[in-house]
Amino acid sequence: PGDIFCSGVHHFCRYNRSFSSPSPEFGLHDDPIGCTHPDCCILNDAAVVLHFDCPSLSEWREKFRARAKSKLTDEDKDEMTSFPFKKESVDALCGSDVSAADQEQIYRR
């Protein structure tokens, strides 16, 4: 069948449209929820896509402190719903009531 790419949270597609602007030529391959084209795409609720990001503790604090200070868009909020670790990280770094030890516990998850 060839290469297959992640498209949305549980969708997969033969076209790599992940970092591309939607284009009419790709039709249902560019659906906002992921590829919904019946000829090539698979919907699998059990699928898991591993995203490996391994910053140091100080890099993690810098990354999520910046996000905590920013004005979050609806897309940011949707992303944090899909990835609870990101929401926990932002929440831990947006206020001063979370101790450094508790922040480190979240980082190590």
Side-chain angles (χ1 to χ4, degrees):
D3 291 336
I4 190 163
F5 302 94
C6 197
S7 174
V9 178
H10 296 287
H11 296 249
F12 300 90
C13 183
R14 66 180 168 187
Y15 297 105
N16 185 3
R17 304 291 301 150
S18 298
F19 299 104
S20 303
S21 298
S23 172
E25 75 179 277
F26 286 95
L28 294 175
H29 300 287
D30 270 346
D31 194 292
I33 65 166
C35 183
T36 58
H37 197 288
D39 290 345
C40 79
C41 301
I42 301 165
L43 174 63
N44 187 335
D45 291 333
V48 176
V49 176
L50 176 63
H51 170 80
F52 185 77
D53 185 9
C54 189
S56 68
L57 178 59
S58 62
E59 290 169 330
W60 171 83
R61 281 190 174 121
E62 184 178 327
K63 173 182 178 178
F64 285 102
R65 191 170 283 131
R67 285 196 87 177
K69 289 180 181 178
S70 67
K71 183 177 182 337
L72 298 177
T73 66
D74 288 340
E75 286 179 352
D76 293 326
K77 293 172 186 172
D78 287 344
E79 178 186 19
M80 287 194 283
T81 298
S82 297
F83 301 98
F85 171 78
K86 291 182 179 186
K87 179 169 181 8
E88 293 167 6
S89 297
V90 167
D91 290 347
L93 294 165
C94 72
S96 59
D97 60 335
V98 179
S99 71
D102 288 340
Q103 290 176 4
E104 187 171 347
Q105 289 292 0
I106 292 168
Y107 163 76
R108 294 194 179 283
R109 288 187 192 157

